[in-house]
PDB file of all heavy atoms in Angstrom:
ATOM      1  N   ILE D 683      16.027 124.808 108.281  1.00 98.00           N
ATOM      2  CA  ILE D 683      16.772 125.395 107.174  1.00 98.00           C
ATOM      3  C   ILE D 683      16.279 124.706 105.910  1.00 98.00           C
ATOM      4  O   ILE D 683      16.475 123.504 105.726  1.00 98.00           O
ATOM      5  CB  ILE D 683      18.299 125.184 107.340  1.00 98.00           C
ATOM      6  CG1 ILE D 683      18.785 125.854 108.626  1.00 98.00           C
ATOM      7  CG2 ILE D 683      19.052 125.739 106.137  1.00 98.00           C
ATOM      8  CD1 ILE D 683      20.276 125.634 108.902  1.00 98.00           C
ATOM      9  N   GLU D 684      15.633 125.448 105.042  1.00 96.00           N
ATOM     10  CA  GLU D 684      15.029 124.843 103.855  1.00 96.00           C
ATOM     11  C   GLU D 684      16.069 124.183 102.964  1.00 96.00           C
ATOM     12  O   GLU D 684      15.842 123.117 102.411  1.00 96.00           O
ATOM     13  CB  GLU D 684      14.255 125.901 103.070  1.00 96.00           C
ATOM     14  CG  GLU D 684      12.987 126.389 103.765  1.00 96.00           C
ATOM     15  CD  GLU D 684      12.217 127.367 102.902  1.00 96.00           C
ATOM     16  OE1 GLU D 684      12.558 127.503 101.701  1.00 96.00           O
ATOM     17  OE2 GLU D 684      11.288 128.014 103.416  1.00 96.00           O
ATOM     18  N   ASP D 685      17.217 124.842 102.814  1.00 96.00           N
ATOM     19  CA  ASP D 685      18.261 124.329 101.928  1.00 96.00           C
ATOM     20  C   ASP D 685      19.241 123.484 102.753  1.00 96.00           C
ATOM     21  O   ASP D 685      20.365 123.885 103.025  1.00 96.00           O
ATOM     22  CB  ASP D 685      18.979 125.504 101.250  1.00 96.00           C
ATOM     23  CG  ASP D 685      19.857 125.036 100.101  1.00 96.00           C
ATOM     24  OD1 ASP D 685      19.779 123.848  99.749  1.00 96.00           O
ATOM     25  OD2 ASP D 685      20.627 125.850  99.570  1.00 96.00           O
ATOM     26  N   TYR D 686      18.763 122.315 103.144  1.00 97.00           N
ATOM     27  CA  TYR D 686      19.539 121.368 103.956  1.00 97.00           C
ATOM     28  C   TYR D 686      19.655 120.090 103.136  1.00 97.00           C
ATOM     29  O   TYR D 686      18.854 119.169 103.290  1.00 97.00           O
ATOM     30  CB  TYR D 686      18.816 121.135 105.282  1.00 97.00           C
ATOM     31  CG  TYR D 686      19.550 120.325 106.328  1.00 97.00           C
ATOM     32  CD1 TYR D 686      20.835 119.827 106.142  1.00 97.00           C
ATOM     33  CD2 TYR D 686      18.920 120.052 107.545  1.00 97.00           C
ATOM     34  CE1 TYR D 686      21.471 119.080 107.117  1.00 97.00           C
ATOM     35  CE2 TYR D 686      19.554 119.313 108.541  1.00 97.00           C
ATOM     36  CZ  TYR D 686      20.824 118.823 108.306  1.00 97.00           C
ATOM     37  OH  TYR D 686      21.453 118.090 109.287  1.00 97.00           O
ATOM     38  N   PRO D 687      20.626 119.995 102.229  1.00 97.00           N
ATOM     39  CA  PRO D 687      20.672 118.897 101.260  1.00 97.00           C
ATOM     40  C   PRO D 687      20.567 117.508 101.864  1.00 97.00           C
ATOM     41  O   PRO D 687      19.864 116.651 101.335  1.00 97.00           O
ATOM     42  CB  PRO D 687      22.021 119.117 100.567  1.00 97.00           C
ATOM     43  CG  PRO D 687      22.241 120.582 100.673  1.00 97.00           C
ATOM     44  CD  PRO D 687      21.702 120.969 102.014  1.00 97.00           C
ATOM     45  N   PHE D 688      21.281 117.259 102.957  1.00 97.00           N
ATOM     46  CA  PHE D 688      21.229 115.939 103.587  1.00 97.00           C
ATOM     47  C   PHE D 688      19.796 115.591 103.979  1.00 97.00           C
ATOM     48  O   PHE D 688      19.312 114.479 103.708  1.00 97.00           O
ATOM     49  CB  PHE D 688      22.130 115.913 104.811  1.00 97.00           C
ATOM     50  CG  PHE D 688      21.857 114.763 105.741  1.00 97.00           C
ATOM     51  CD1 PHE D 688      22.182 113.471 105.378  1.00 97.00           C
ATOM     52  CD2 PHE D 688      21.259 114.971 106.982  1.00 97.00           C
ATOM     53  CE1 PHE D 688      21.921 112.400 106.226  1.00 97.00           C
ATOM     54  CE2 PHE D 688      20.994 113.919 107.834  1.00 97.00           C
ATOM     55  CZ  PHE D 688      21.330 112.627 107.456  1.00 97.00           C
ATOM     56  N   ALA D 689      19.095 116.521 104.603  1.00 98.00           N
ATOM     57  CA  ALA D 689      17.725 116.257 105.039  1.00 98.00           C
ATOM     58  C   ALA D 689      16.773 116.211 103.846  1.00 98.00           C
ATOM     59  O   ALA D 689      15.878 115.349 103.787  1.00 98.00           O
ATOM     60  CB  ALA D 689      17.282 117.325 106.036  1.00 98.00           C
ATOM     61  N   ASN D 690      16.931 117.133 102.897  1.00 97.00           N
ATOM     62  CA  ASN D 690      16.057 117.154 101.717  1.00 97.00           C
ATOM     63  C   ASN D 690      16.058 115.813 101.001  1.00 97.00           C
ATOM     64  O   ASN D 690      15.007 115.244 100.685  1.00 97.00           O
ATOM     65  CB  ASN D 690      16.499 118.245 100.736  1.00 97.00           C
ATOM     66  CG  ASN D 690      16.405 119.649 101.315  1.00 97.00           C
ATOM     67  OD1 ASN D 690      17.285 120.460 101.094  1.00 97.00           O
ATOM     68  ND2 ASN D 690      15.349 119.918 102.053  1.00 97.00           N
ATOM     69  N   ASP D 691      17.236 115.306 100.727  1.00 96.00           N
ATOM     70  CA  ASP D 691      17.347 114.040 100.003  1.00 96.00           C
ATOM     71  C   ASP D 691      17.098 112.840 100.914  1.00 96.00           C
ATOM     72  O   ASP D 691      16.495 111.849 100.498  1.00 96.00           O
ATOM     73  CB  ASP D 691      18.728 113.923  99.363  1.00 96.00           C
ATOM     74  CG  ASP D 691      18.940 114.927  98.232  1.00 96.00           C
ATOM     75  OD1 ASP D 691      17.928 115.439  97.727  1.00 96.00           O
ATOM     76  OD2 ASP D 691      20.093 115.186  97.868  1.00 96.00           O
ATOM     77  N   GLY D 692      17.585 112.917 102.146  1.00 97.00           N
ATOM     78  CA  GLY D 692      17.430 111.798 103.063  1.00 97.00           C
ATOM     79  C   GLY D 692      15.985 111.459 103.356  1.00 97.00           C
ATOM     80  O   GLY D 692      15.621 110.282 103.468  1.00 97.00           O
ATOM     81  N   LEU D 693      15.130 112.475 103.460  1.00 97.00           N
ATOM     82  CA  LEU D 693      13.726 112.221 103.766  1.00 97.00           C
ATOM     83  C   LEU D 693      13.005 111.532 102.612  1.00 97.00           C
ATOM     84  O   LEU D 693      12.062 110.766 102.828  1.00 97.00           O
ATOM     85  CB  LEU D 693      13.025 113.533 104.138  1.00 97.00           C
ATOM     86  CG  LEU D 693      13.389 114.086 105.521  1.00 97.00           C
ATOM     87  CD1 LEU D 693      12.855 115.499 105.696  1.00 97.00           C
ATOM     88  CD2 LEU D 693      12.859 113.169 106.633  1.00 97.00           C
ATOM     89  N   ILE D 694      13.443 111.798 101.381  1.00 95.00           N
ATOM     90  CA  ILE D 694      12.881 111.072 100.236  1.00 95.00           C
ATOM     91  C   ILE D 694      13.169 109.585 100.392  1.00 95.00           C
ATOM     92  O   ILE D 694      12.296 108.733 100.213  1.00 95.00           O
ATOM     93  CB  ILE D 694      13.474 111.599  98.916  1.00 95.00           C
ATOM     94  CG1 ILE D 694      13.085 113.064  98.694  1.00 95.00           C
ATOM     95  CG2 ILE D 694      13.009 110.740  97.740  1.00 95.00           C
ATOM     96  CD1 ILE D 694      13.779 113.697  97.503  1.00 95.00           C
ATOM     97  N   LEU D 695      14.409 109.278 100.727  1.00 95.00           N
ATOM     98  CA  LEU D 695      14.799 107.880 100.899  1.00 95.00           C
ATOM     99  C   LEU D 695      14.098 107.259 102.105  1.00 95.00           C
ATOM    100  O   LEU D 695      13.638 106.114 102.048  1.00 95.00           O
ATOM    101  CB  LEU D 695      16.309 107.770 101.053  1.00 95.00           C
ATOM    102  CG  LEU D 695      16.858 106.348 101.218  1.00 95.00           C
ATOM    103  CD1 LEU D 695      16.468 105.488 100.025  1.00 95.00           C
ATOM    104  CD2 LEU D 695      18.364 106.365 101.385  1.00 95.00           C
ATOM    105  N   TRP D 696      13.999 108.000 103.203  1.00 97.00           N
ATOM    106  CA  TRP D 696      13.325 107.492 104.393  1.00 97.00           C
ATOM    107  C   TRP D 696      11.894 107.077 104.052  1.00 97.00           C
ATOM    108  O   TRP D 696      11.445 105.988 104.428  1.00 97.00           O
ATOM    109  CB  TRP D 696      13.329 108.551 105.499  1.00 97.00           C
ATOM    110  CG  TRP D 696      12.459 108.192 106.655  1.00 97.00           C
ATOM    111  CD1 TRP D 696      11.138 108.492 106.823  1.00 97.00           C
ATOM    112  CD2 TRP D 696      12.825 107.406 107.804  1.00 97.00           C
ATOM    113  NE1 TRP D 696      10.662 107.955 108.005  1.00 97.00           N
ATOM    114  CE2 TRP D 696      11.673 107.292 108.625  1.00 97.00           C
ATOM    115  CE3 TRP D 696      14.013 106.814 108.218  1.00 97.00           C
ATOM    116  CZ2 TRP D 696      11.683 106.602 109.824  1.00 97.00           C
ATOM    117  CZ3 TRP D 696      14.021 106.117 109.429  1.00 97.00           C
ATOM    118  CH2 TRP D 696      12.870 106.011 110.216  1.00 97.00           C
ATOM    119  N   ASP D 697      11.175 107.940 103.346  1.00 96.00           N
ATOM    120  CA  ASP D 697       9.789 107.628 103.001  1.00 96.00           C
ATOM    121  C   ASP D 697       9.696 106.408 102.094  1.00 96.00           C
ATOM    122  O   ASP D 697       8.779 105.582 102.233  1.00 96.00           O
ATOM    123  CB  ASP D 697       9.136 108.836 102.315  1.00 96.00           C
ATOM    124  CG  ASP D 697       8.714 109.914 103.312  1.00 96.00           C
ATOM    125  OD1 ASP D 697       8.852 109.678 104.531  1.00 96.00           O
ATOM    126  OD2 ASP D 697       8.253 110.977 102.877  1.00 96.00           O
ATOM    127  N   ALA D 698      10.634 106.278 101.150  1.00 94.00           N
ATOM    128  CA  ALA D 698      10.625 105.125 100.250  1.00 94.00           C
ATOM    129  C   ALA D 698      10.870 103.832 101.020  1.00 94.00           C
ATOM    130  O   ALA D 698      10.197 102.815 100.790  1.00 94.00           O
ATOM    131  CB  ALA D 698      11.673 105.306  99.154  1.00 94.00           C
ATOM    132  N   ILE D 699      11.840 103.861 101.931  1.00 96.00           N
ATOM    133  CA  ILE D 699      12.122 102.680 102.762  1.00 96.00           C
ATOM    134  C   ILE D 699      10.902 102.340 103.606  1.00 96.00           C
ATOM    135  O   ILE D 699      10.493 101.169 103.704  1.00 96.00           O
ATOM    136  CB  ILE D 699      13.355 102.927 103.663  1.00 96.00           C
ATOM    137  CG1 ILE D 699      14.621 103.086 102.827  1.00 96.00           C
ATOM    138  CG2 ILE D 699      13.523 101.783 104.656  1.00 96.00           C
ATOM    139  CD1 ILE D 699      15.833 103.537 103.632  1.00 96.00           C
ATOM    140  N   LYS D 700      10.312 103.341 104.204  1.00 96.00           N
ATOM    141  CA  LYS D 700       9.169 103.103 105.088  1.00 96.00           C
ATOM    142  C   LYS D 700       7.989 102.500 104.322  1.00 96.00           C
ATOM    143  O   LYS D 700       7.305 101.591 104.822  1.00 96.00           O
ATOM    144  CB  LYS D 700       8.744 104.409 105.765  1.00 96.00           C
ATOM    145  CG  LYS D 700       7.655 104.231 106.813  1.00 96.00           C
ATOM    146  CD  LYS D 700       7.345 105.535 107.523  1.00 96.00           C
ATOM    147  CE  LYS D 700       6.262 105.332 108.575  1.00 96.00           C
ATOM    148  NZ  LYS D 700       5.953 106.595 109.293  1.00 96.00           N
TER     149      LYS D 700
END
Side-chain angles (χ1 to χ4, degrees):
I683 299 177
E684 290 184 11
D685 192 8
Y686 188 2
F688 163 71
N690 297 139
D691 292 341
L693 287 170
I694 296 173
L695 181 58
W696 170 270
D697 281 355
I699 294 171
K700 186 176 180 179

